[in-house]
Amino acid sequence: MTLLRRFLRSPEGTIGLVILAALFIAGLLAPIISPGDPLRIAGRALLPPFSDPGLPLGTDRLGRDVLAGLLHGARTSLAVGIAAALSAMVLGLFVGMAAGFAGGLVDETLMRVADAFQIVPGFLLALAFVSTIGVSTPVVVFAIALGTWADPARLTRAQVLSIRERDYVSAARVIGMHPAEIAFKEILPNALPPVLALSATIVAGAILTEAALSFLGLGNPNLATWGSMIAEGRSVLRSAAYLSVLPGLTLAVTVVGVHLFSEGLTKVLGSDGGSR
């Protein structure tokens, strides 16, 4: 509760939390607010916003409800972003812990693998992976995680290298604790806060990457996504700019919300670490 109070005292953290909470609620309530398939034909094509009470944000070129697309797109973007970030964090923590705790040849080998993944931009790696394997939500999640795990791995390794030399870790070795027990009970809890702060940035990057893949036609075609909505509006940008502007603004607000949430989380975890 103390951490939550400190987080809410941070203006950027509070604003980010409000934005993300609104998006989560919108995504959860999407089947209630806009029931049925968001990709179905709902009315006349290119109906402008606020011209029909039943379709408040209008329709696209095929007559699909723009509001339904935005709401269901929130579910898709948040689910893909969180799942990809979680996968990247788990892989990065495992690799970073193994490299930092084992040291020597294991450390050198794992860090060279991380270097190899960091050389290639994450989006290009995801693009190549999805183009090769095929388009589906699990493939998109794995492709995004594949391009982002190296940063948490390096940060975890740096934290582990610092923590493993501290007195309480040496004391744990002296009393005969198993190396795995030392790693997961003594080192990991203290190495975790900076990595958790990084996770919000990974979520934002994952949401942008998913939108970019959908924009290029490499997202799941059976799901409403903000990237595909932006791409859909390109051909009528002059006459119906709202088709690209609305999902674009929603995407921008989401990324800003995640960034602000990350800033607040970094301050709280940083001050908590400093107090210890």
Side-chain angles (χ1 to χ4, degrees), residues 90-222:
V90 170
L91 180 58
L93 280 168
F94 177 78
V95 172
M97 280 288 296
F101 194 73
L105 183 60
V106 173
D107 182 17
E108 187 70 20
T109 302
L110 291 176
M111 287 303 98
R112 296 297 74 76
V113 173
D115 288 342
F117 276 89
Q118 284 189 309
I119 289 172
V120 183
F123 174 70
L124 293 182
L125 186 61
L127 181 64
F129 190 83
V130 173
S131 301
T132 303
I133 303 299
V135 177
S136 69
T137 301
V139 170
V140 170
V141 168
F142 185 74
I144 296 173
L146 205 60
T148 53
W149 68 269
D151 286 336
R154 284 197 166 280
L155 181 57
T156 303
R157 172 184 176 270
Q159 291 294 312
V160 172
L161 287 176
S162 171
I163 294 169
R164 72 177 188 178
E165 303 302 328
R166 295 182 184 175
D167 292 340
Y168 62 87
V169 177
S170 300
R173 291 195 187 98
V174 169
I175 63 175
M177 286 182 66
H178 192 276
E181 193 176 5
I182 295 174
F184 287 101
K185 284 189 176 181
E186 302 295 335
I187 296 179
L188 182 59
N190 294 296
L192 204 54
V195 185
L196 287 178
L198 179 65
S199 64
T201 305
I202 296 176
V203 170
I207 291 173
L208 284 174
T209 302
E210 185 277 330
L213 290 173
S214 296
F215 180 83
L216 295 174
L218 293 174
N220 191 331
N222 300 315

Side-chain angles (χ1 to χ4, degrees), residues 17 51 165:
L17 181 62
S51 59
E165 303 302 328

